[in-house]
Amino acid sequence: MPVVGIMGSPRRDSNTEILLDAALAGAAECGAATQKVPVCELRILPCTECYHCAVDGTCSIKDDMSHLYDVIVSADCIILASPVFFYGLTSQAKALVDRCQALWMRRRVLKSWTPDLESRKGALIAVGATSGPKLFDGVLLTAKYFFDAVGVRDFDQLLVRGLDGRAQVRDYPEHISQATELGRRLASGSAGDGCEPPSQTDSTV
Ligand SMILES: Cc1cc2nc3c(=O)[nH]c(=O)nc-3n(C[C@H](O)[C@H](O)[C@H](O)COP(=O)(O)O)c2cc1C
């Protein structure tokens, strides 16, 4: 089962990437094929609101997003991973999310794509520096409607507060273990023989 991880931090070896790598490793342990999409290394332009996608479900912009549509459509699991920037996703991650308007059109308007909602799974991994109760409200709302657009009904989540320095999450092996568990849980639906059962992953509680 392909598990696709969208790495939304603008920096490599980021807290986001370390947690995403752990999740993908957990999924791979359970037999899943995995693919990481580091958006900071890709050319993904912002949506221009031209509504070309309303005509036939395709995007008029030709860039690295062009092949990612197939990657997202073919995935069984999608992990959206991003740091919190001004209470939302990073610009890089948000550009990818906005470009998924084409998939929303296919699914909700043109009805030309009917994903299997029973089998597709998702997860949000988000990290932020501060500790307020509303820290993840913005990314959670965006993730909810992103996952709907890409044909994922429910999504798991790992939300980690108090991380600021590069790779600081390495000082908190418990969060890395939680990410690995999340990956195992995602992959265990159809390929998880021998994988651990689910456990709590939201480190905010
Ligand atoms: C432009 C920018 C905006 C940020 N906005 C927030 C914010 O609103 N709330 C917060 O808690 N942290 C904020 N941060 C801190 C990052 O979320 C934090 O450093 C995070 O650990 C970075 O993750 P990464 O290593 O995966 O890139 C911001 C950082 C930057 C550079």
Side-chain angles (χ1 to χ4, degrees), residues 157-176:
Q157 47 188 270
L158 173 59
L159 310 173
V160 183
R161 291 170 160 81
L163 296 177
D164 210 6
R166 185 181 214 132
Q168 189 187 353
V169 72
R170 288 216 172 88
D171 297 335
Y172 300 93
E174 67 274 22
H175 295 319
I176 296 175

Side-chain angles (χ1 to χ4, degrees), residues 7-194:
M7 203 296 281
S9 173
R11 60 184 177 183
R12 301 306 302 262
D13 199 31
S14 56
N15 297 310
T16 300
E17 184 161 27
I18 292 163
L19 291 172
L20 179 61
D21 284 347
L24 293 175
E29 275 174 28
C30 295
T34 64
Q35 180 175 354
K36 182 165 64 176
V37 176
V39 290
C40 57
E41 311 251 319
L42 302 177
R43 185 169 178 268
I44 301 177
L45 296 169
C47 172
T48 57
E49 211 177 359
C50 70
Y51 280 99
H52 185 282
C53 59
V55 178
D56 64 2
T58 67
C59 185
S60 64
I61 304 171
K62 302 305 170 206
D63 61 8
D64 287 327
M65 193 65 200
S66 304
H67 85 275
L68 285 181
Y69 290 116
D70 285 343
V71 169
I72 291 170
V73 165
S74 307
D76 292 315
C77 300
I78 299 167
I79 304 175
L80 175 63
S82 176
V84 174
F85 275 17
F86 286 90
Y87 288 84
L89 299 175
T90 62
S91 306
Q92 291 85 348
K94 186 59 162 46
L96 182 148
V97 166
D98 289 352
R99 294 284 296 284
C100 287
Q101 177 76 351
L103 299 180
W104 184 85
M105 280 290 176
R106 289 180 208 178
R107 175 161 140 63
R108 293 292 195 176
V109 178
L110 301 170
K111 318 269 188 214
S112 58
W113 178 44
T114 51
D116 180 359
L117 298 179
E118 297 305 319
S119 66
R120 282 169 72 83
K121 297 180 185 180
L124 170 70
I125 294 176
V127 303
T130 56
S131 58
K134 294 178 186 273
L135 177 58
F136 297 108
D137 286 8
V139 293
L140 280 165
L141 264 179
T142 303
K144 176 179 175 186
Y145 292 100
F146 164 72
F147 281 120
D148 179 70
V150 300
V152 171
R153 193 154 45 197
D154 301 308
F155 62 96
D156 210 328
Q157 47 188 270
L158 173 59
L159 310 173
V160 183
R161 291 170 160 81
L163 296 177
D164 210 6
R166 185 181 214 132
Q168 189 187 353
V169 72
R170 288 216 172 88
D171 297 335
Y172 300 93
E174 67 274 22
H175 295 319
I176 296 175
S177 298
Q178 287 166 336
T180 309
E181 274 178 33
L182 180 147
R184 287 192 192 121
R185 188 161 58 248
L186 275 181
S188 64
S190 63
D193 295 350

